[in-house]
Amino acid sequence: MGLITGVIAFFYHLPQIYKWLFKPYYILSILMSSAFLILRKCPGLCENLNTEREDGNPCDFDWREVEILMFLSAIVMMKNRRAITLEQHAGNLFMFSKVANVILFFRLDIRLGIFYFALCIAFVMTCKPPLYMGPEYIKYFSEKTIDEELNHDTRVTWIVEFYANWSPECQSFAPVFADLSLKYNCAGLRFGKIDAGRYGEVAQRYKVSTSPLAKQLPSLVLFQSGREVMRRPMVDNKCRAVSWTFSEENIIREFNLNELYEASKKIKKGREDTLNF
């Protein structure tokens, strides 16, 4: 049954996987994540590698390498339990695979370890995950427009995301937030975003920490009549975010989007009746 579910999930996400083939970030990530496996199994290269196997076969994994790869699999499975999108699953796999590759290369040859580690640093500095560029009904605020928009019409409810372009969590959440805006955006319920990393003063004013240690990015804040009503994730006494999963189902439930949407449609209908009168 698990095999059938996996096959169905693969074909369901096949269009997204196919698109990855045209993005250098994913191509390079796949190559770097599987670098040790390729080197250890590639004929013509593996014969020159060191090995601790009793049979002396340099083209097969020794027991310590198998142990590291099994530990990698366990870590990725645990981390992906909270992953929402396919991009988050892939991001966890790439990140921990590179860490495992660094350990394996250093164990094999310190020179290979240093070379691979330098490649990882260069990759992080020069190649970023592709930003979401799909359809959305989202208003992008600046430090000069956010207060004006939130207080312009007190009948409008705003759901605002505080994000930063450097945050992988924000990048993974972007398609989810865009999809919600397509489903629920209307005259009385609007969706907005502001770059907390760029507009630090706005983030401080709305008490959203941009520190990676605080884990408050992304933050979703619900505004009604220009005032904050609720936010997720919540923040504890130490100014650290309380763990919360940014799934579409959780957001719809916690923010009562179905009820807000129905109420917002009534506001729109009332406006139209007033104009007709």
Side-chain angles (χ1 to χ4, degrees):
M1 186 64 183
L3 179 60
I4 297 176
T5 303
V7 172
I8 293 175
F10 173 79
F11 282 104
Y12 177 78
H13 293 291
L14 188 59
Q16 298 182 48
I17 297 174
Y18 181 73
K19 292 179 181 179
W20 287 2
L21 299 177
F22 298 95
K23 297 179 179 179
Y25 171 82
Y26 292 110
I27 297 174
L28 294 176
S29 293
I30 292 172
L31 291 175
M32 294 191 65
S33 299
S34 56
F36 185 83
L37 303 181
I38 296 173
L39 184 64
R40 180 59 88 179
K41 290 294 184 179
C42 181
L45 295 176
C46 62
E47 290 85 359
N48 300 318
L49 301 178
N50 297 325
T51 182
E52 294 183 1
R53 290 179 59 89
E54 294 181 358
D55 59 6
N57 181 12
C59 294
D60 207 352
F61 303 114
D62 59 40
W63 68 273
R64 182 63 70 180
E65 292 169 351
V66 173
E67 191 177 56
I68 294 173
L69 293 174
M70 292 296 294
F71 184 71
L72 166 66
S73 301
I75 292 295
V76 171
M77 289 178 63
M78 288 189 295
K79 287 295 182 179
N80 277 344
R81 291 176 60 185
R82 297 184 57 189
I84 303 169
T85 64
L86 188 61
E87 287 79 7
Q88 287 178 318
H89 284 279
N92 289 332
L93 177 61
F94 294 151
M95 179 178 65
F96 290 104
S97 294
K98 291 170 186 174
V99 173
N101 272 268
V102 169
I103 298 173
L104 290 168
F105 276 118
F106 267 106
R107 183 176 174 272
L108 183 65
D109 190 318
I110 190 172
R111 293 169 297 179
L112 290 175
I114 294 174
F115 177 73
Y116 182 82
F117 186 68
L119 284 180
C120 289
I121 294 177
F123 178 81
V124 170
M125 295 179 63
T126 60
C127 194
K128 302 296 183 182
L131 298 177
Y132 177 77
M133 301 296 291
E136 58 185 25
Y137 290 138
I138 297 175
K139 174 73 173 182
Y140 284 81
F141 298 127
S142 68
E143 58 183 350
K144 297 181 180 179
T145 61
I146 183 169
D147 293 330
E148 179 182 348
E149 289 289 345
L150 294 180
N151 295 280
H152 177 69
D153 190 341
T154 57
R155 292 173 296 181
V156 176
T157 297
W158 283 92
I159 297 179
V160 180
E161 177 195 353
F162 290 80
Y163 74 100
N165 287 326
W166 50 259
S167 170
E169 291 80 9
C170 293
Q171 294 174 4
S172 299
F173 179 61
V176 178
F177 195 58
D179 187 54
L180 288 171
S181 72
L182 294 174
K183 293 179 180 178
Y184 291 98
N185 183 79
C186 61
L189 179 60
R190 304 287 302 279
F191 291 78
K193 295 179 71 171
I194 183 165
D195 190 343
R198 180 180 180 183
Y199 303 110
E201 293 183 0
V202 176
Q204 292 180 3
R205 188 162 70 247
Y206 287 95
K207 299 179 180 180
V208 177
S209 175
T210 57
S211 170
L213 299 177
K215 297 182 179 180
Q216 293 186 30
L217 296 176
S219 281
L220 284 185
V221 184
L222 177 67
F223 293 94
Q224 290 180 331
S225 300
R227 297 181 179 180
E228 178 182 333
V229 176
M230 65 176 293
R231 72 168 60 195
R232 292 293 184 274
M234 295 185 291
V235 181
D236 59 20
N237 296 330
K238 297 181 180 180
C239 296
R240 294 196 61 178
V242 178
S243 179
W244 194 72
T245 302
F246 279 86
S247 65
E248 188 169 324
E249 295 77 11
N250 283 350
I251 296 171
I252 293 173
R253 181 180 65 254
E254 293 287 330
F255 287 83
N256 297 317
L257 286 188
N258 292 322
E259 292 79 1
L260 287 175
Y261 182 66
E262 292 299 326
S264 299
K265 288 196 299 183
K266 293 179 181 178
I267 293 175
K268 181 179 180 181
K269 183 178 180 181
R271 288 179 179 176
E272 292 175 350
D273 292 343
T274 303
L275 292 174
N276 293 333
F277 178 77

